[in-house]
Structure formats: structure tokens, C-alpha cells
Amino acid sequence: MNYDAILVVSFGGPESKEEVIPFLENVLRGRNVPLERVLAVAEHYYHFEGRSPINQQTRELIAALDAELERNGPKLPIYWGNRNWHPLLAETLRKMKQDGIQRALGFVTSAYSSYSGCRQYREDIARAQGEVGPGAPEVDKLRVFFNHPGFIEATVERLRDALLAVPAEAQSNVQIVYTAHSIPVSMASGSDYVKQLEEVRSLVSGALGHKNDALVYQSRSGAPGQPWLEPDILDYLRQAKAGNLASAVVLAPIGFISDHMEVLYDLDVEARQVCDSLGLPMTRAKTVGVHPKFVGMIRELILERMHPGSERRALGSMGARADVCAEGCCPGKAAASGQ
């Protein structure tokens, strides 16, 4: 298969206070979110002077991948487009067209199958191609990689470092609390999102030989009456303390590949405040970020797509996800609930 570029596709984030509200308007376009909620989320960004770390971390990932491809091949140019903030996908595809790029492989910074984590990105790319018009580059999305050895091994190493950082006096019964972004139950029911998270939990805890663990969810943003995946991280931490389930907790944000705003604020600020109030020692594992095994995994995904029939590595029982999603997979919440 002939490809002439790599397109890294991410969520995007503001990099100044002035960009926060326009960014959130992009994120929430078409959703009936009360103004009070928008302003409350904006405060999360203002807590960090309006700068989300996600764009800088995407730059660092691109630099690490570029170095990996320069060393080991294939030597392809890397472009970057975001869903919600500059550089926006349409801007990037327009630049790619100007540069003569005809066919690219797309790496989306989301490890799992769900509407918001996979299908919506494919829709974003198609919409951007429509904006660019004739001659817009073709983009073939790389498969989701939740169970790829490179992702699992990098996650294990990040978590092992965090476990070693637990104070000696709190190590008698440490619980690993795996976290992922909550999504509406109706959306989750149309995908393998929860199954895939449970698989990662099993693979990582198994590699560490650790049995005291839990999977919880964070960062819900829906209307109060709409069912979203639970338990919520903050509620769970209170239950863990009340039920004497752990001498300390290590939070492992397996639902994210970088330490962006929802990791920094929801875990490092809110969850830490709850743990401090409970007297529950807490450590937070880093996300995979630019871990060499994770960066090497991206190169593997590129090579397996360029060379059909080559090995497609995956751990656990679910196997390697197909390159091309089934037509009806991962519907949005309205489709999943029949609304």
C-alpha cells in the first residue's frame, strides 16, 4: 500500500485564556449544554492560565515519532490536525493538498472503540475533506490499539513507577484505580469501549501481579438525568475509604494517552483534594505519552498497514481490531438509544 504522509489527529486544546471560550464553543457545538456548565469547565482551564497541555504533548509525540521514523523508517512527513482547535483538520488537509500529498495514514490519539473516540474522528476527517474539496488527500485511519503490546507494556511501566512511589507506610494494600473518560450508557452500549477497558485492566494488572484494582470513570459532562458510565472517580474514592478497600490508591488514567486537561484537573486537582480530605494516600501514574514502546507501536501500526499480511500484534483475548470499521459500528448516543 502506497502512502506519502502520516496525519496525527487529536482533540486539540486552548493555549491562552482568550482561546478557552472559543475552544469550548467548538467542543460543544450542537449540544444543549447550559451556560453555567460551560463556564464551570472554563474555570478548569483558567486554573492553568487557560493553557491545556494537549497541544504541546501532541507536538512532543510528533517529534518522537518523527525521530523514530527517521531512524528506522518509513521516512514519511508527519502532519497534525485537531478536532476542536488549531491546527484544525481542514487547515491541515488543505496544506497537505498544497504539498502534493495524495494518501495518508491517520493516527488518532485514542486507544479505544467508541463513537467519540473513533467513529467521530473518521467523520471529522470526512467533513474536513469535504471542506477542502476535490484533491483532498485520502486518509486511512490506523486501527485502535488498546491491546497492542506497545501500549500495554508502556502502561505497565508507567504504573510500576507510580506503585514504587507509594509511601512505605501505605503499601500494605494498595489499590490500582484505572480511570477512563465516562460516556453516555447509550453510546457505550453500541461499542466495545467497556470490554476493551476491562481487557486493558486485566492485562496490566496481570503483568504487574496486582489483584486489588478497580475500573472507574471520570470527566462526565452530560445532563444530570442522562445515564453515563459509573462509578464516578470521586464517588468511588469515598467508597474505597469508607469500605477500607485500600491503604493507598494509585490512579492509572488508561483512557488517555497524554496528561491533558482532564487528567491534570480531574485527577491531580479534584481527585487529590478528595483523597487528602479522606486521609487516603494517592499517587497518579503518568500516561504513556512519548514512552519509547508506545512510539514504537505507532511505527508498527504504520508498517502493518503498508504491508498487508504482516503480523498484527495484540495481547489478550480480543485480537487485533480490524483496519476498517463495520458500517454500523460505534453509533452516536442518539442512534444507539433509538432516538
Side-chain angles (χ1 to χ4, degrees), residues 24-308:
L24 290 176
E25 288 173 345
N26 279 351
V27 173
L28 300 172
R29 184 173 290 117
R31 295 168 57 185
N32 187 23
V33 178
L35 178 61
E36 312 87 77
R37 174 60 183 165
V38 176
L39 295 177
V41 174
E43 288 299 323
H44 297 182
Y45 290 88
Y46 296 147
H47 185 83
F48 296 93
E49 300 301 317
R51 184 179 181 87
S52 168
I54 191 170
N55 275 4
Q56 181 56 34
Q57 294 197 3
T58 303
R59 293 183 187 103
E60 292 168 4
L61 179 62
I62 289 170
L65 178 59
D66 188 55
E68 173 75 13
L69 298 183
E70 184 64 28
R71 283 191 303 268
N72 301 310
K75 294 183 179 180
L76 296 172
I78 303 175
Y79 293 82
W80 166 31
N82 287 328
R83 168 183 289 172
N84 295 302
W85 202 244
H86 307 285
L88 292 166
L89 270 167
E91 300 168 357
T92 302
L93 288 180
R94 195 168 288 112
K95 176 67 165 62
M96 293 169 70
K97 176 183 175 181
Q98 292 170 355
D99 291 348
I101 302 300
Q102 296 182 337
R103 193 174 192 189
L105 281 169
F107 174 75
V108 171
T109 58
S110 172
Y112 301 91
S113 301
S114 71
Y115 174 74
S116 57
C118 183
R119 183 175 183 141
Q120 189 176 2
Y121 279 109
R122 292 190 282 117
E123 292 175 354
D124 293 335
I125 292 168
R127 188 178 303 110
Q129 289 169 322
E131 289 183 38
V132 173
E138 294 181 37
V139 179
D140 291 342
K141 180 184 174 297
L142 295 170
R143 65 180 171 97
V144 294
F145 49 82
F146 67 96
N147 58 356
H148 191 285
F151 180 66
I152 296 300
E153 291 166 10
T155 300
V156 167
E157 292 186 17
R158 297 297 200 209
L159 191 44
R160 183 178 287 118
D161 290 343
L163 288 164
L164 291 173
V166 175
E169 64 274 14
Q171 288 188 357
S172 60
N173 188 29
V174 178
Q175 184 175 72
I176 299 173
V177 180
Y178 294 101
T179 77
H181 205 301
S182 186
I183 60 175
V185 170
S186 57
M187 184 187 294
S189 67
S191 73
D192 289 337
Y193 183 64
V194 175
K195 290 180 182 177
Q196 291 172 358
L197 287 166
E198 289 285 7
E199 182 83 327
V200 173
R201 169 190 179 181
S202 174
L203 289 169
V204 174
S205 285
L208 291 166
H210 199 98
K211 295 183 178 179
N212 186 3
D213 64 17
L215 173 63
V216 306
Y217 298 92
Q218 62 172 91
S219 312
R220 83 158 273 165
S221 58
Q226 183 184 41
W228 281 52
L229 292 175
E230 296 179 338
D232 174 78
I233 174 90
L234 303 183
D235 293 337
Y236 181 80
L237 292 171
R238 296 183 183 101
Q239 294 167 10
K241 178 64 176 181
N244 197 29
L245 302 180
S247 58
V249 292
V250 173
L251 306 188
I254 56 170
F256 308 85
I257 72 160
S258 66
D259 290 8
H260 59 68
M261 185 58 66
E262 288 174 319
V263 174
L264 292 186
Y265 191 86
D266 296 359
L267 300 184
D268 293 354
V269 176
E270 289 189 328
R272 183 165 295 283
Q273 288 173 347
V274 169
C275 285
D276 288 348
S277 71
L278 296 170
L280 180 63
M282 176 199 130
T283 304
R284 200 262 293 171
K286 292 180 180 179
T287 49
V288 291
V290 293
H291 191 291
K293 289 184 178 178
F294 180 65
V295 177
M297 178 210 76
I298 302 174
R299 176 178 175 269
E300 270 194 45
L301 294 178
I302 292 168
L303 289 174
E304 73 175 36
R305 195 63 176 270
M306 294 180 73
H307 303 287

